[in-house]
Amino acid sequence: MKDELDTGKKPNWCSGCSDYMLLSEIKSAVRKEIESGNTDKESVNIVTGVGCHGKVFDYMDVGGVYALHGRVVPTATGIKAGNPSLDVIGIAGDGDTYAEGMSHFVHAARMNPDFTLLVFNNEVFALTTGQSTPTTEKSKQTGSQPTGNPHDPVNPLKIALSSGASFVARADAKNVKHTTRLIREAVSHDGFAFIDVAQQCPVYNPFDREIEEKMSPLDDFTGADSLEKAEELAEKWSNPEESNSLPIGVLWKEEKNTLCDKYPELSNLEERGTGWYQFRE
Ligand code: SF4
Ligand code: MG
């Protein structure tokens, strides 16, 4: 029987790609949110960027838009500002977000628009056949740096925390149950809910087995009880080879005014209407 969230198109990622798992986790989380009465199919909107991840939108029968490269965050922010009653999920890649889109990412953490951002972080530009991104491991040989990447990678978790993000999480794509729960937590959070997902690209950047084995879920989904502790957890991901345990789960969660709270006129749907077309009248 066709799933109500399924477009009926057959996914065609490479064999063994983590994107298959992530598609199933996103669908499962959305389905559970609908069944729990927290949202409905018509209210779910997806924004994808440019990269292998972008095909998620081909396979999910919900509203949304393909954004330009690096522009998932401003597009999702605009959709939410245009109609705050929607549940917006941005899906982007690591090159997409931390290279072309880095400034948008920092300012979203600062301004707190109410949407979820899932970054499929395989530490490589996969769609364009294996160039380095800002999260590529130092010394790794890639298509754009065949003698090895000379740069230290950025730590997106630390950037999000230092920029003021109200929800910061790290997920492991192959931990299906845990990642599904994290997505549900993010979708129900009021504000910018950011999940950096460790995933592999078996073609251009297969998983490092040692790091995989060190990943360990945090005890609950409440986040650390201080920003300092959250930063300590995030720091473990700066040098994964040197850490004994790598935390996955919600590192930080707090209540903060969202972008719409800061501009109350945005949320007054009765006065200004819900459709973008009404802005044009
Ligand atoms: Fe997945 Fe890598 Fe193939 Fe893209 S190139 S579909 S990320 S395995
Ligand atoms: Mg990538």
Side-chain angles (χ1 to χ4, degrees):
M1 197 180 81
K2 184 173 170 282
D3 187 306
E4 65 159 343
L5 294 176
D6 197 345
T7 56
K9 289 180 189 152
K10 192 167 174 250
N12 66 349
W13 289 298
C14 306
S15 171
C17 180
S18 302
D19 288 0
Y20 288 100
M21 274 179 277
L22 278 158
L23 172 64
S24 133
E25 288 153 6
I26 294 166
K27 270 188 182 167
S28 172
V30 168
R31 193 179 303 113
K32 284 177 176 155
E33 285 299 291
I34 293 171
E35 284 166 6
S36 306
N38 297 333
T39 188
D40 52 64
K41 189 181 160 189
E42 286 65 37
S43 299
V44 176
N45 251 246
I46 280 183
V47 183
T48 57
V50 172
C52 297
H53 70 273
K55 290 181 184 170
V56 167
F57 188 43
D58 291 345
Y59 309 135
M60 279 193 71
D61 189 17
V62 292
V65 65
Y66 284 114
L68 298 175
H69 205 189
R71 308 294 180 245
V72 168
V73 168
T75 307
T77 304
I79 291 173
K80 186 69 187 180
N83 186 347
S85 69
L86 296 176
D87 289 307
V88 182
I89 303 174
I91 297 167
D94 49 308
D96 207 27
T97 309
Y98 309 134
E100 286 85 350
M102 183 59 106
S103 62
H104 298 301
F105 173 63
V106 167
H107 293 298
R110 187 170 73 87
M111 295 175 182
N112 206 27
D114 182 15
F115 72 90
T116 296
L117 178 68
L118 294 173
V119 179
F120 288 20
N121 185 357
N122 53 16
E123 303 179 8
V124 72
F125 278 109
L127 186 71
T128 48
T129 69
Q131 297 79 20
S132 303
T133 71
T135 53
T136 300
E137 194 187 330
K138 191 174 182 180
S139 303
K140 178 148 276 194
Q141 290 177 299
T142 67
S144 54
Q145 285 158 330
T147 56
N149 169 27
H151 309 298
D152 287 313
V154 299
N155 181 330
L157 302 166
K158 285 175 65 181
I159 293 170
L161 288 169
S162 63
S163 305
S166 59
F167 183 109
V168 178
R170 175 78 159 150
D172 170 11
K174 69 185 177 335
N175 192 333
V176 174
K177 204 170 160 194
H178 191 254
T179 300
T180 303
R181 171 75 188 271
L182 277 177
I183 296 169
R184 291 192 69 190
E185 291 288 330
V187 168
S188 60
H189 176 72
D190 284 333
F192 180 61
F194 161 60
I195 308 179
D196 185 68
V197 187
Q199 67 150 150
Q200 75 159 335
C201 165
V203 177
Y204 298 109
N205 197 8
F207 264 144
D208 178 326
R209 292 279 163 219
E210 263 180 50
I211 290 175
E212 258 191 288
E213 281 163 18
K214 288 187 199 172
M215 289 193 212
S216 166
L218 295 166
D219 291 339
D220 54 39
F221 292 83
T222 56
D225 52 21
S226 72
L227 198 49
E228 290 70 29
K229 283 189 187 158
E231 282 165 348
E232 277 170 31
L233 293 170
E235 177 59 24
K236 288 176 188 277
W237 281 101
S238 293
N239 295 298
E241 297 79 16
E242 289 164 25
S243 301
N244 295 328
S245 169
L246 294 167
I248 54 167
V250 181
L251 308 190
W252 180 244
K253 183 156 70 167
E254 67 176 321
E255 277 183 32
K256 270 183 160 177
N257 274 349
T258 67
L259 185 66
C260 283
D261 292 333
K262 294 173 199 172
Y263 292 93
E265 62 274 22
L266 284 177
S267 302
N268 193 341
L269 296 180
E270 236 169 67
E271 221 167 77
R272 71 158 177 79
T274 57
W276 62 269
Y277 46 88
Q278 294 187 32
F279 279 127
R280 293 163 29 136
E281 284 174 355

